Amino acid sequence: MDLKDALKFITDLKEQADEPKVLEIDGKTYIDRNLTRYYKNDYPAALETYTLTSMVDYIKDLSDEIAAGRLVVHIESEKEVTLTTELNSEGKRCKLMQTSPKVPRPEINRWMDQESFIIMLQACFMDSDDRSVLLKVAGNVESKTVKSYGDDGVTQQATIKSGIASLTDVIVPGRVKLTPYRTFLEIDQPSSEYVFRIRDGETPEFKLIEADGGAWKICALTELSSYFCEELKEEIKKGEVIVIA
């Protein structure tokens, strides 16, 4: 065998090794490698919006998509809802729309200076009695006056300005109930309990630590599901839409 024949023999062996092998075992067909189908994606790009009403209005105005099968409203999280078709013959869904709210993001679990903390409370949290207390404490606390109070390490004591020239010792609330903007504004914002701490230094610093174990997310998902079930009750009744949370 000359060199040319040897090279051809090696090439033929490689081609045979590259060719997928199909086996029949106990009436079932197997292949010795993973194959990926090449196809053109004819699905349009999903619309991106920021409100629940935009998705509801879109669903109510649809005709061709509904005729092709039911639509699926999938509440993926407290900040994301997608609208898709049902599975097609190839086991794929077409994503028609995705909506996520534009809400402020409160700074949780980190120390903040006085000015930043006050701004965050006013911009990221709904008005409430506990928020008013925190604003009063944070806005008037004196530097180098924060001290531990009690043996449990939960509550603190601080000196705040109570008038033009007077100072008053107050007990700083250890746990507060606040309602931040964290999900779509069309539903009620869930409240959470927070641990509130002050750290003294050249200037006082403040921190909020979420203390509800993430239970607010379950409340938000429930509210979102109720919203769609109410707004799309006719479409759901007709079997045109299903809601999954």
Side-chain angles (χ1 to χ4, degrees):
M1 179 183 295
D2 58 18
L3 179 60
K4 181 178 179 181
D5 292 336
L7 291 175
K8 185 177 184 305
F9 178 75
I10 294 173
T11 302
D12 291 341
L13 287 178
K14 182 179 183 303
E15 290 178 352
Q16 293 176 13
D18 289 341
E19 184 177 348
K21 293 181 175 60
V22 180
L23 303 175
E24 191 83 18
I25 302 175
D26 292 335
K28 297 180 180 179
T29 304
Y30 297 86
I31 192 168
D32 66 343
R33 67 192 61 192
N34 292 325
L35 297 179
T36 301
R37 178 186 170 193
Y38 177 80
Y39 65 96
K40 181 181 178 182
N41 187 355
D42 294 324
Y43 293 147
L47 297 173
E48 295 184 2
T49 62
Y50 307 105
T51 64
L52 300 179
T53 53
S54 64
M55 182 171 289
V56 170
D57 292 341
Y58 182 68
I59 291 173
K60 289 181 178 293
D61 289 340
L62 286 177
S63 57
D64 295 339
E65 287 85 350
I66 290 181
R70 290 188 301 178
L71 298 176
V72 180
V73 176
H74 184 195
I75 303 169
E76 299 192 25
S77 71
E78 73 283 354
K79 288 185 178 180
E80 184 175 352
V81 181
T82 57
L83 177 67
T84 68
T85 61
E86 287 190 306
L87 293 175
N88 60 19
S89 59
E90 296 182 349
K92 298 183 182 297
R93 302 182 189 275
C94 174
K95 182 188 287 189
L96 302 174
M97 177 180 284
Q98 176 177 317
T99 182
S100 301
K102 283 192 171 182
V103 291
R105 184 177 180 179
E107 295 289 342
I108 306 298
N109 301 326
R110 79 174 186 89
W111 291 104
M112 303 180 67
D113 62 71
Q114 191 172 33
E115 184 72 11
S116 298
F117 185 76
I118 291 172
I119 292 173
M120 181 197 68
L121 281 179
Q122 296 185 78
C124 300
F125 292 83
M126 299 180 68
D127 190 18
S128 67
D129 291 341
D130 281 1
R131 192 192 76 156
S132 298
V133 171
L134 293 189
L135 285 171
K136 182 177 180 180
V137 172
N140 295 285
V141 68
E142 288 284 293
S143 299
K144 299 185 181 300
T145 61
V146 180
K147 55 185 176 180
S148 297
Y149 184 81
D151 296 330
D152 57 6
V154 176
T155 55
Q156 294 177 291
Q157 184 177 0
T159 301
I160 67 171
K161 301 173 186 176
S162 59
I164 296 177
S166 61
L167 301 174
T168 303
D169 286 345
V170 296
I171 303 301
V172 178
R175 293 177 74 93
V176 292
K177 191 172 186 178
L178 300 172
T179 308
Y181 298 103
R182 293 181 289 190
T183 184
F184 294 89
L185 299 181
E186 290 95 333
I187 66 172
D188 292 335
Q189 300 297 304
S191 300
S192 292
E193 282 199 345
Y194 294 86
V195 174
F196 175 57
R197 301 296 293 173
I198 304 177
R199 183 169 67 182
D200 209 355
E202 291 299 323
T203 58
E205 293 182 311
F206 309 88
K207 180 193 281 190
L208 286 174
I209 301 98
E210 192 174 293
D212 73 344
W216 71 271
K217 295 182 180 181
I218 304 300
C219 295
L221 294 178
T222 302
E223 288 287 335
L224 286 170
S225 180
S226 298
Y227 174 86
F228 281 109
C229 288
E230 175 62 27
E231 294 295 325
L232 300 172
K233 56 185 176 183
E234 292 299 324
E235 288 75 13
I236 294 173
K237 186 177 180 180
K238 294 176 183 177
E240 297 173 343
V241 176
I242 58 176
V243 177
I244 301 175

mmCIF file of all heavy atoms in Angstrom, residues 105-145:
data_model
loop_
_atom_site.group_PDB
_atom_site.id
_atom_site.type_symbol
_atom_site.label_atom_id
_atom_site.label_comp_id
_atom_site.label_asym_id
_atom_site.label_seq_id
_atom_site.Cartn_x
_atom_site.Cartn_y
_atom_site.Cartn_z
ATOM 1 N N ARG A 105 -35.383 50.926 43.579
ATOM 2 C CA ARG A 105 -34.790 49.790 44.284
ATOM 3 C C ARG A 105 -34.245 50.253 45.629
ATOM 4 O O ARG A 105 -33.215 50.927 45.686
ATOM 5 C CB ARG A 105 -33.668 49.174 43.450
ATOM 6 C CG ARG A 105 -33.057 47.933 44.079
ATOM 7 C CD ARG A 105 -32.003 47.334 43.165
ATOM 8 N NE ARG A 105 -31.401 46.149 43.748
ATOM 9 C CZ ARG A 105 -30.465 45.420 43.161
ATOM 10 N NH1 ARG A 105 -30.032 45.772 41.960
ATOM 11 N NH2 ARG A 105 -29.965 44.359 43.754
ATOM 12 N N PRO A 106 -34.924 49.910 46.727
ATOM 13 C CA PRO A 106 -34.420 50.338 48.037
ATOM 14 C C PRO A 106 -33.120 49.629 48.396
ATOM 15 O O PRO A 106 -32.918 48.462 48.055
ATOM 16 C CB PRO A 106 -35.556 49.940 48.995
ATOM 17 C CG PRO A 106 -36.281 48.838 48.296
ATOM 18 C CD PRO A 106 -36.171 49.133 46.831
ATOM 19 N N GLU A 107 -32.252 50.357 49.063
ATOM 20 C CA GLU A 107 -30.970 49.794 49.497
ATOM 21 C C GLU A 107 -31.176 49.089 50.836
ATOM 22 O O GLU A 107 -31.329 49.732 51.871
ATOM 23 C CB GLU A 107 -29.924 50.902 49.626
ATOM 24 C CG GLU A 107 -29.569 51.577 48.312
ATOM 25 C CD GLU A 107 -28.773 50.668 47.395
ATOM 26 O OE1 GLU A 107 -28.215 49.673 47.885
ATOM 27 O OE2 GLU A 107 -28.718 50.958 46.189
ATOM 28 N N ILE A 108 -31.185 47.771 50.786
ATOM 29 C CA ILE A 108 -31.422 46.965 51.975
ATOM 30 C C ILE A 108 -30.131 46.230 52.343
ATOM 31 O O ILE A 108 -29.327 45.887 51.479
ATOM 32 C CB ILE A 108 -32.564 45.954 51.731
ATOM 33 C CG1 ILE A 108 -33.818 46.681 51.236
ATOM 34 C CG2 ILE A 108 -32.879 45.164 52.996
ATOM 35 C CD1 ILE A 108 -34.376 47.688 52.205
ATOM 36 N N ASN A 109 -29.954 46.008 53.636
ATOM 37 C CA ASN A 109 -28.833 45.209 54.148
ATOM 38 C C ASN A 109 -27.474 45.874 53.954
ATOM 39 O O ASN A 109 -26.454 45.185 53.867
ATOM 40 C CB ASN A 109 -28.808 43.808 53.507
ATOM 41 C CG ASN A 109 -30.078 43.030 53.773
ATOM 42 O OD1 ASN A 109 -30.681 43.158 54.831
ATOM 43 N ND2 ASN A 109 -30.501 42.235 52.811
ATOM 44 N N ARG A 110 -27.442 47.193 53.876
ATOM 45 C CA ARG A 110 -26.149 47.876 53.846
ATOM 46 C C ARG A 110 -26.261 49.202 54.583
ATOM 47 O O ARG A 110 -27.324 49.822 54.634
ATOM 48 C CB ARG A 110 -25.658 48.089 52.419
ATOM 49 C CG ARG A 110 -26.280 49.238 51.664
ATOM 50 C CD ARG A 110 -25.592 49.427 50.317
ATOM 51 N NE ARG A 110 -26.062 50.604 49.604
ATOM 52 C CZ ARG A 110 -25.535 51.814 49.747
ATOM 53 N NH1 ARG A 110 -24.543 52.013 50.609
ATOM 54 N NH2 ARG A 110 -26.002 52.844 49.058
ATOM 55 N N TRP A 111 -25.150 49.626 55.163
ATOM 56 C CA TRP A 111 -25.125 50.877 55.914
ATOM 57 C C TRP A 111 -25.189 52.062 54.958
ATOM 58 O O TRP A 111 -24.561 52.055 53.900
ATOM 59 C CB TRP A 111 -23.860 50.966 56.764
ATOM 60 C CG TRP A 111 -23.832 49.984 57.898
ATOM 61 C CD1 TRP A 111 -23.108 48.830 57.967
ATOM 62 C CD2 TRP A 111 -24.571 50.064 59.116
ATOM 63 N NE1 TRP A 111 -23.344 48.179 59.152
ATOM 64 C CE2 TRP A 111 -24.243 48.919 59.889
ATOM 65 C CE3 TRP A 111 -25.478 50.986 59.643
ATOM 66 C CZ2 TRP A 111 -24.784 48.670 61.135
ATOM 67 C CZ3 TRP A 111 -26.027 50.744 60.895
ATOM 68 C CH2 TRP A 111 -25.682 49.606 61.630
ATOM 69 N N MET A 112 -25.961 53.083 55.364
ATOM 70 C CA MET A 112 -26.131 54.273 54.535
ATOM 71 C C MET A 112 -25.922 55.512 55.394
ATOM 72 O O MET A 112 -26.258 55.524 56.590
ATOM 73 C CB MET A 112 -27.532 54.310 53.914
ATOM 74 C CG MET A 112 -27.879 53.102 53.074
ATOM 75 S SD MET A 112 -29.542 53.216 52.366
ATOM 76 C CE MET A 112 -29.327 54.593 51.237
ATOM 77 N N ASP A 113 -25.394 56.557 54.776
ATOM 78 C CA ASP A 113 -25.240 57.807 55.504
ATOM 79 C C ASP A 113 -26.606 58.463 55.691
ATOM 80 O O ASP A 113 -27.609 58.061 55.096
ATOM 81 C CB ASP A 113 -24.275 58.747 54.776
ATOM 82 C CG ASP A 113 -24.777 59.134 53.393
ATOM 83 O OD1 ASP A 113 -25.750 59.905 53.302
ATOM 84 O OD2 ASP A 113 -24.208 58.645 52.394
ATOM 85 N N GLN A 114 -26.636 59.485 56.517
ATOM 86 C CA GLN A 114 -27.895 60.103 56.917
ATOM 87 C C GLN A 114 -28.695 60.633 55.731
ATOM 88 O O GLN A 114 -29.886 60.351 55.582
ATOM 89 C CB GLN A 114 -27.604 61.234 57.910
ATOM 90 C CG GLN A 114 -28.828 61.791 58.611
ATOM 91 C CD GLN A 114 -28.436 62.764 59.710
ATOM 92 O OE1 GLN A 114 -27.439 63.480 59.599
ATOM 93 N NE2 GLN A 114 -29.200 62.792 60.784
ATOM 94 N N GLU A 115 -28.047 61.384 54.859
ATOM 95 C CA GLU A 115 -28.747 61.990 53.727
ATOM 96 C C GLU A 115 -29.300 60.932 52.778
ATOM 97 O O GLU A 115 -30.461 60.992 52.351
ATOM 98 C CB GLU A 115 -27.788 62.920 52.976
ATOM 99 C CG GLU A 115 -28.426 63.682 51.819
ATOM 100 C CD GLU A 115 -29.364 64.790 52.277
ATOM 101 O OE1 GLU A 115 -29.359 65.112 53.479
ATOM 102 O OE2 GLU A 115 -30.097 65.314 51.423
ATOM 103 N N SER A 116 -28.481 59.939 52.449
ATOM 104 C CA SER A 116 -28.916 58.890 51.514
ATOM 105 C C SER A 116 -30.065 58.079 52.094
ATOM 106 O O SER A 116 -31.001 57.697 51.377
ATOM 107 C CB SER A 116 -27.739 57.967 51.176
ATOM 108 O OG SER A 116 -26.701 58.678 50.543
ATOM 109 N N PHE A 117 -30.008 57.810 53.397
ATOM 110 C CA PHE A 117 -31.059 57.015 54.034
ATOM 111 C C PHE A 117 -32.395 57.752 54.019
ATOM 112 O O PHE A 117 -33.443 57.164 53.725
ATOM 113 C CB PHE A 117 -30.652 56.681 55.471
ATOM 114 C CG PHE A 117 -31.601 55.758 56.174
ATOM 115 C CD1 PHE A 117 -31.615 54.405 55.882
ATOM 116 C CD2 PHE A 117 -32.490 56.243 57.125
ATOM 117 C CE1 PHE A 117 -32.494 53.544 56.525
ATOM 118 C CE2 PHE A 117 -33.372 55.399 57.775
ATOM 119 C CZ PHE A 117 -33.374 54.042 57.475
ATOM 120 N N ILE A 118 -32.367 59.040 54.310
ATOM 121 C CA ILE A 118 -33.602 59.834 54.320
ATOM 122 C C ILE A 118 -34.205 59.904 52.917
ATOM 123 O O ILE A 118 -35.422 59.768 52.736
ATOM 124 C CB ILE A 118 -33.319 61.244 54.869
ATOM 125 C CG1 ILE A 118 -32.989 61.167 56.362
ATOM 126 C CG2 ILE A 118 -34.506 62.169 54.637
ATOM 127 C CD1 ILE A 118 -32.522 62.473 56.957
ATOM 128 N N ILE A 119 -33.364 60.098 51.916
ATOM 129 C CA ILE A 119 -33.853 60.151 50.536
ATOM 130 C C ILE A 119 -34.463 58.813 50.132
ATOM 131 O O ILE A 119 -35.528 58.755 49.510
ATOM 132 C CB ILE A 119 -32.708 60.544 49.582
ATOM 133 C CG1 ILE A 119 -32.296 61.994 49.823
ATOM 134 C CG2 ILE A 119 -33.127 60.343 48.126
ATOM 135 C CD1 ILE A 119 -31.074 62.421 49.043
ATOM 136 N N MET A 120 -33.795 57.712 50.500
ATOM 137 C CA MET A 120 -34.313 56.394 50.145
ATOM 138 C C MET A 120 -35.676 56.146 50.784
ATOM 139 O O MET A 120 -36.599 55.630 50.142
ATOM 140 C CB MET A 120 -33.338 55.304 50.582
ATOM 141 C CG MET A 120 -33.800 53.897 50.210
ATOM 142 S SD MET A 120 -32.959 52.578 51.110
ATOM 143 C CE MET A 120 -33.579 52.824 52.777
ATOM 144 N N LEU A 121 -35.831 56.508 52.053
ATOM 145 C CA LEU A 121 -37.111 56.296 52.730
ATOM 146 C C LEU A 121 -38.242 57.028 52.018
ATOM 147 O O LEU A 121 -39.348 56.498 51.868
ATOM 148 C CB LEU A 121 -37.025 56.770 54.181
ATOM 149 C CG LEU A 121 -36.333 55.849 55.188
ATOM 150 C CD1 LEU A 121 -36.310 56.501 56.568
ATOM 151 C CD2 LEU A 121 -37.028 54.493 55.268
ATOM 152 N N GLN A 122 -37.968 58.241 51.576
ATOM 153 C CA GLN A 122 -39.025 59.035 50.947
ATOM 154 C C GLN A 122 -39.294 58.616 49.504
ATOM 155 O O GLN A 122 -40.425 58.727 49.022
ATOM 156 C CB GLN A 122 -38.647 60.518 50.998
ATOM 157 C CG GLN A 122 -38.558 61.069 52.411
ATOM 158 C CD GLN A 122 -38.315 62.562 52.432
ATOM 159 O OE1 GLN A 122 -39.215 63.361 52.217
ATOM 160 N NE2 GLN A 122 -37.072 62.939 52.672
ATOM 161 N N ALA A 123 -38.269 58.126 48.812
ATOM 162 C CA ALA A 123 -38.419 57.801 47.392
ATOM 163 C C ALA A 123 -38.860 56.364 47.146
ATOM 164 O O ALA A 123 -39.523 56.087 46.141
ATOM 165 C CB ALA A 123 -37.104 58.061 46.660
ATOM 166 N N CYS A 124 -38.506 55.454 48.045
ATOM 167 C CA CYS A 124 -38.710 54.030 47.772
ATOM 168 C C CYS A 124 -39.773 53.375 48.641
ATOM 169 O O CYS A 124 -40.094 52.199 48.422
ATOM 170 C CB CYS A 124 -37.395 53.269 47.953
ATOM 171 S SG CYS A 124 -36.069 53.830 46.867
ATOM 172 N N PHE A 125 -40.316 54.096 49.633
ATOM 173 C CA PHE A 125 -41.286 53.499 50.549
ATOM 174 C C PHE A 125 -42.558 54.334 50.591
ATOM 175 O O PHE A 125 -42.507 55.567 50.558
ATOM 176 C CB PHE A 125 -40.702 53.392 51.964
ATOM 177 C CG PHE A 125 -39.579 52.409 52.088
ATOM 178 C CD1 PHE A 125 -38.282 52.771 51.749
ATOM 179 C CD2 PHE A 125 -39.809 51.116 52.531
ATOM 180 C CE1 PHE A 125 -37.236 51.869 51.857
ATOM 181 C CE2 PHE A 125 -38.773 50.205 52.643
ATOM 182 C CZ PHE A 125 -37.483 50.581 52.307
ATOM 183 N N MET A 126 -43.688 53.645 50.687
ATOM 184 C CA MET A 126 -44.965 54.331 50.817
ATOM 185 C C MET A 126 -45.080 54.953 52.207
ATOM 186 O O MET A 126 -44.466 54.485 53.171
ATOM 187 C CB MET A 126 -46.119 53.349 50.579
ATOM 188 C CG MET A 126 -46.117 52.724 49.197
ATOM 189 S SD MET A 126 -47.484 51.566 48.932
ATOM 190 C CE MET A 126 -48.878 52.698 48.948
ATOM 191 N N ASP A 127 -45.888 55.998 52.291
ATOM 192 C CA ASP A 127 -46.062 56.693 53.565
ATOM 193 C C ASP A 127 -46.740 55.774 54.582
ATOM 194 O O ASP A 127 -47.686 55.054 54.261
ATOM 195 C CB ASP A 127 -46.909 57.947 53.351
ATOM 196 C CG ASP A 127 -46.927 58.836 54.581
ATOM 197 O OD1 ASP A 127 -46.039 58.673 55.444
ATOM 198 O OD2 ASP A 127 -47.839 59.676 54.685
ATOM 199 N N SER A 128 -46.231 55.786 55.804
ATOM 200 C CA SER A 128 -46.808 54.985 56.889
ATOM 201 C C SER A 128 -46.330 55.558 58.208
ATOM 202 O O SER A 128 -45.414 56.389 58.255
ATOM 203 C CB SER A 128 -46.397 53.512 56.768
ATOM 204 O OG SER A 128 -45.002 53.366 56.985
ATOM 205 N N ASP A 129 -46.933 55.102 59.301
ATOM 206 C CA ASP A 129 -46.536 55.588 60.624
ATOM 207 C C ASP A 129 -45.086 55.227 60.928
ATOM 208 O O ASP A 129 -44.324 56.055 61.446
ATOM 209 C CB ASP A 129 -47.461 55.004 61.701
ATOM 210 C CG ASP A 129 -48.881 55.558 61.608
ATOM 211 O OD1 ASP A 129 -49.055 56.625 60.984
ATOM 212 O OD2 ASP A 129 -49.801 54.914 62.146
ATOM 213 N N ASP A 130 -44.698 53.994 60.615
ATOM 214 C CA ASP A 130 -43.324 53.573 60.911
ATOM 215 C C ASP A 130 -42.312 54.335 60.057
ATOM 216 O O ASP A 130 -41.212 54.654 60.524
ATOM 217 C CB ASP A 130 -43.167 52.068 60.686
ATOM 218 C CG ASP A 130 -43.719 51.253 61.851
ATOM 219 O OD1 ASP A 130 -44.236 51.872 62.801
ATOM 220 O OD2 ASP A 130 -43.637 50.017 61.819
ATOM 221 N N ARG A 131 -42.665 54.623 58.813
ATOM 222 C CA ARG A 131 -41.749 55.413 57.986
ATOM 223 C C ARG A 131 -41.570 56.811 58.570
ATOM 224 O O ARG A 131 -40.455 57.355 58.583
ATOM 225 C CB ARG A 131 -42.263 55.510 56.549
ATOM 226 C CG ARG A 131 -41.219 56.075 55.583
ATOM 227 C CD ARG A 131 -41.801 56.439 54.236
ATOM 228 N NE ARG A 131 -42.553 57.693 54.291
ATOM 229 C CZ ARG A 131 -42.768 58.481 53.232
ATOM 230 N NH1 ARG A 131 -42.291 58.145 52.047
ATOM 231 N NH2 ARG A 131 -43.474 59.587 53.356
ATOM 232 N N SER A 132 -42.651 57.392 59.081
ATOM 233 C CA SER A 132 -42.563 58.723 59.694
ATOM 234 C C SER A 132 -41.654 58.709 60.915
ATOM 235 O O SER A 132 -40.874 59.643 61.139
ATOM 236 C CB SER A 132 -43.965 59.207 60.084
ATOM 237 O OG SER A 132 -44.794 59.331 58.943
ATOM 238 N N VAL A 133 -41.738 57.631 61.707
ATOM 239 C CA VAL A 133 -40.868 57.513 62.882
ATOM 240 C C VAL A 133 -39.408 57.437 62.461
ATOM 241 O O VAL A 133 -38.538 58.110 63.034
ATOM 242 C CB VAL A 133 -41.261 56.274 63.716
ATOM 243 C CG1 VAL A 133 -40.226 56.020 64.812
ATOM 244 C CG2 VAL A 133 -42.639 56.457 64.328
ATOM 245 N N LEU A 134 -39.123 56.623 61.443
ATOM 246 C CA LEU A 134 -37.738 56.490 60.983
ATOM 247 C C LEU A 134 -37.209 57.806 60.428
ATOM 248 O O LEU A 134 -36.046 58.168 60.658
ATOM 249 C CB LEU A 134 -37.636 55.399 59.913
ATOM 250 C CG LEU A 134 -37.894 53.960 60.361
ATOM 251 C CD1 LEU A 134 -37.544 52.995 59.231
ATOM 252 C CD2 LEU A 134 -37.103 53.611 61.605
ATOM 253 N N LEU A 135 -38.043 58.530 59.694
ATOM 254 C CA LEU A 135 -37.611 59.817 59.156
ATOM 255 C C LEU A 135 -37.295 60.803 60.283
ATOM 256 O O LEU A 135 -36.326 61.566 60.202
ATOM 257 C CB LEU A 135 -38.690 60.401 58.240
ATOM 258 C CG LEU A 135 -38.822 59.754 56.856
ATOM 259 C CD1 LEU A 135 -40.054 60.275 56.135
ATOM 260 C CD2 LEU A 135 -37.568 60.018 56.018
ATOM 261 N N LYS A 136 -38.099 60.763 61.328
ATOM 262 C CA LYS A 136 -37.864 61.667 62.459
ATOM 263 C C LYS A 136 -36.562 61.322 63.168
ATOM 264 O O LYS A 136 -35.756 62.203 63.490
ATOM 265 C CB LYS A 136 -39.033 61.589 63.441
ATOM 266 C CG LYS A 136 -38.896 62.534 64.627
ATOM 267 C CD LYS A 136 -40.114 62.460 65.535
ATOM 268 C CE LYS A 136 -39.952 63.419 66.714
ATOM 269 N NZ LYS A 136 -41.134 63.370 67.628
ATOM 270 N N VAL A 137 -36.345 60.022 63.398
ATOM 271 C CA VAL A 137 -35.121 59.597 64.077
ATOM 272 C C VAL A 137 -33.900 59.889 63.211
ATOM 273 O O VAL A 137 -32.912 60.480 63.663
ATOM 274 C CB VAL A 137 -35.188 58.095 64.422
ATOM 275 C CG1 VAL A 137 -33.840 57.612 64.946
ATOM 276 C CG2 VAL A 137 -36.275 57.837 65.455
ATOM 277 N N ALA A 138 -33.962 59.472 61.933
ATOM 278 C CA ALA A 138 -32.802 59.631 61.053
ATOM 279 C C ALA A 138 -32.490 61.098 60.786
ATOM 280 O O ALA A 138 -31.324 61.473 60.627
ATOM 281 C CB ALA A 138 -33.049 58.904 59.731
ATOM 282 N N GLY A 139 -33.513 61.929 60.740
ATOM 283 C CA GLY A 139 -33.290 63.332 60.422
ATOM 284 C C GLY A 139 -32.794 64.162 61.584
ATOM 285 O O GLY A 139 -32.262 65.257 61.375
ATOM 286 N N ASN A 140 -32.944 63.644 62.819
ATOM 287 C CA ASN A 140 -32.611 64.466 63.980
ATOM 288 C C ASN A 140 -31.608 63.834 64.934
ATOM 289 O O ASN A 140 -31.275 64.427 65.958
ATOM 290 C CB ASN A 140 -33.892 64.786 64.768
ATOM 291 C CG ASN A 140 -34.859 65.642 63.974
ATOM 292 O OD1 ASN A 140 -34.667 66.836 63.805
ATOM 293 N ND2 ASN A 140 -35.913 65.012 63.461
ATOM 294 N N VAL A 141 -31.125 62.640 64.636
ATOM 295 C CA VAL A 141 -30.204 61.980 65.555
ATOM 296 C C VAL A 141 -28.887 62.751 65.628
ATOM 297 O O VAL A 141 -28.402 63.295 64.632
ATOM 298 C CB VAL A 141 -29.969 60.514 65.122
ATOM 299 C CG1 VAL A 141 -29.192 60.449 63.820
ATOM 300 C CG2 VAL A 141 -29.255 59.734 66.214
ATOM 301 N N GLU A 142 -28.318 62.818 66.812
ATOM 302 C CA GLU A 142 -27.056 63.510 67.038
ATOM 303 C C GLU A 142 -25.889 62.538 66.900
ATOM 304 O O GLU A 142 -25.985 61.366 67.286
ATOM 305 C CB GLU A 142 -27.034 64.118 68.446
ATOM 306 C CG GLU A 142 -27.953 65.318 68.617
ATOM 307 C CD GLU A 142 -27.367 66.566 67.976
ATOM 308 O OE1 GLU A 142 -26.343 67.068 68.454
ATOM 309 O OE2 GLU A 142 -27.941 67.018 66.967
ATOM 310 N N SER A 143 -24.786 63.001 66.359
ATOM 311 C CA SER A 143 -23.591 62.168 66.240
ATOM 312 C C SER A 143 -23.060 61.794 67.616
ATOM 313 O O SER A 143 -23.150 62.572 68.572
ATOM 314 C CB SER A 143 -22.500 62.908 65.459
ATOM 315 O OG SER A 143 -22.942 63.209 64.158
ATOM 316 N N LYS A 144 -22.505 60.587 67.702
ATOM 317 C CA LYS A 144 -21.862 60.078 68.916
ATOM 318 C C LYS A 144 -22.815 60.028 70.106
ATOM 319 O O LYS A 144 -22.425 60.228 71.245
ATOM 320 C CB LYS A 144 -20.631 60.918 69.270
ATOM 321 C CG LYS A 144 -19.560 60.906 68.183
ATOM 322 C CD LYS A 144 -18.317 61.644 68.629
ATOM 323 C CE LYS A 144 -17.264 61.641 67.532
ATOM 324 N NZ LYS A 144 -16.829 60.292 67.144
ATOM 325 N N THR A 145 -24.100 59.740 69.853
ATOM 326 C CA THR A 145 -25.051 59.626 70.958
ATOM 327 C C THR A 145 -25.808 58.309 70.921
ATOM 328 O O THR A 145 -26.723 58.100 71.702
ATOM 329 C CB THR A 145 -26.085 60.772 70.914
ATOM 330 O OG1 THR A 145 -26.814 60.704 69.684
ATOM 331 C CG2 THR A 145 -25.408 62.119 71.046
#
